[in-house]
Amino acid sequence: AQSVTQLDSQVPVFEEAPVELRCNYSSSVSVYLFWYVQYPNQGLQLLLKYLSGSTLVKGINGFEAEFNKSQTSFHLRKPSVHISDTAEYFCAVSDLGFKTIFGAGTRLFVKA
Amino acid sequence: DVKVTQSSRYLVKRTGEKVFLECVQDMDHENMFWYRQDPGLGLRLIYFSYDVKMKEKGDIPEGYSVSREKKERFSLILESASTNQTSMYLCATHDIDRGEGSPLHFGNGTRLTVT
């Protein structure tokens, strides 16, 4: 069985500061890894994904994530955040089947 | 762009009522999913469907059923709503033709309150 742990439920940060949102997963098989973002009163949208190849993945809005197989982690980073990045972020894994498992989410608060 | 439309943004229902949540997609995707989202718990899979009239239980199917009579429409049914079903419900689709690693596409959600 797979599981996803997001290590921080809330992350407050000042505008233009760097941020890292942490995600660890467990799985007995190869998985695909995703980060989704949810802005207030909206559904989730894809931020980035890792399928194979280069372990550093770049996504939309300046975000990137690094896949670390030995540590089973997929942390999300941005070097300089904006007020508009305030949202909830979900790490997710899926295997060769149809199911995607989500973490509990991390609320990012960007303060002026 | 994929469009996933959930018919209601907000619903308020009474305990014991039968509730229908509707989801329609316009991209001919085979796979459709219903998740519920609760604070601190993330998204949990209720049911999914990989074809018309086909359905599979997810992780928390108790108290729910689904219907998929047409490819584009996937309905979630609460047979007898209870207060512990107050939640945000999210519909999603997945295009299997693009491979297992293709992402989910979500609707904007239905926030259901059961009183």
Side-chain angles (χ1 to χ4, degrees):
Chain A
Q2 300 149 18
S3 67
V4 179
T5 303
Q6 292 185 240
L7 296 159
D8 307 290
S9 59
Q10 296 186 61
V11 174
V13 63
F14 284 104
E15 194 174 20
E16 297 183 7
V19 70
E20 179 180 79
L21 307 184
R22 298 178 293 167
C23 173
N24 288 103
Y25 70 94
S26 67
S27 176
S28 57
V29 299
S30 296
V31 295
Y32 306 110
L33 297 159
F34 305 85
W35 276 97
Y36 289 86
V37 59
Q38 184 180 36
Y39 298 106
N41 298 316
Q42 294 186 24
L44 279 69
Q45 55 184 276
L46 181 69
L47 204 55
L48 49 80
K49 61 183 178 182
Y50 173 78
L51 304 183
S52 63
S54 172
T55 57
L56 184 63
V57 180
K58 293 191 183 298
I60 62 172
N61 300 340
F63 283 93
E64 63 182 30
E66 184 151 21
F67 170 60
N68 188 318
K69 189 174 182 179
S70 62
Q71 297 187 7
T72 60
S73 68
F74 191 53
H75 301 334
L76 181 71
R77 301 185 184 102
K78 186 170 182 178
S80 176
V81 295
H82 303 290
I83 296 286
S84 59
D85 292 322
T86 294
E88 189 156 22
Y89 293 79
F90 292 93
C91 183
V93 301
S94 70
D95 59 15
L96 297 181
F98 296 126
K99 290 175 64 174
T100 300
I101 306 299
F102 288 85
T106 297
R107 288 192 177 273
L108 176 64
F109 296 100
V110 181
K111 302 176 285 186
Chain B
D1 247 7
V2 178
K3 193 168 172 83
V4 181
T5 303
Q6 295 184 232
S7 55
S8 304
R9 291 300 306 274
Y10 300 94
L11 275 179
V12 180
K13 298 292 182 181
R14 292 188 182 275
T15 301
E17 277 193 80
K18 189 169 186 175
V19 181
F20 293 85
L21 303 183
E22 306 286 348
C23 175
V24 177
Q25 52 115 347
D26 67 353
M27 285 301 290
D28 204 37
H29 287 176
E30 290 76 14
N31 300 341
M32 296 187 75
F33 305 81
W34 276 106
Y35 287 88
R36 66 175 280 176
Q37 180 183 4
D38 300 288
L41 296 177
L43 279 72
R44 293 178 291 166
L45 182 63
I46 305 171
Y47 267 96
F48 66 99
S49 168
Y50 52 89
D51 203 350
V52 175
K53 296 191 185 295
M54 305 301 287
K55 60 185 179 184
E56 293 285 342
K57 292 180 180 180
D59 299 315
I60 52 164
E62 296 78 20
Y64 303 94
S65 62
V66 291
S67 171
R68 195 167 181 199
E69 296 296 319
K70 295 184 177 181
K71 191 174 186 179
E72 68 269 19
R73 186 180 296 270
F74 191 37
S75 303
L76 180 69
I77 304 157
L78 287 65
E79 297 288 344
S80 178
S82 64
T83 55
N84 63 12
Q85 293 177 310
T86 291
S87 186
M88 169 72 91
Y89 291 88
L90 292 165
C91 176
T93 71
H94 175 251
D95 184 5
I96 191 64
D97 289 338
R98 300 192 66 179
E100 294 91 354
S102 61
L104 296 172
H105 300 270
F106 284 88
N108 280 336
T110 296
R111 187 167 294 281
L112 173 67
T113 302
V114 182
T115 62

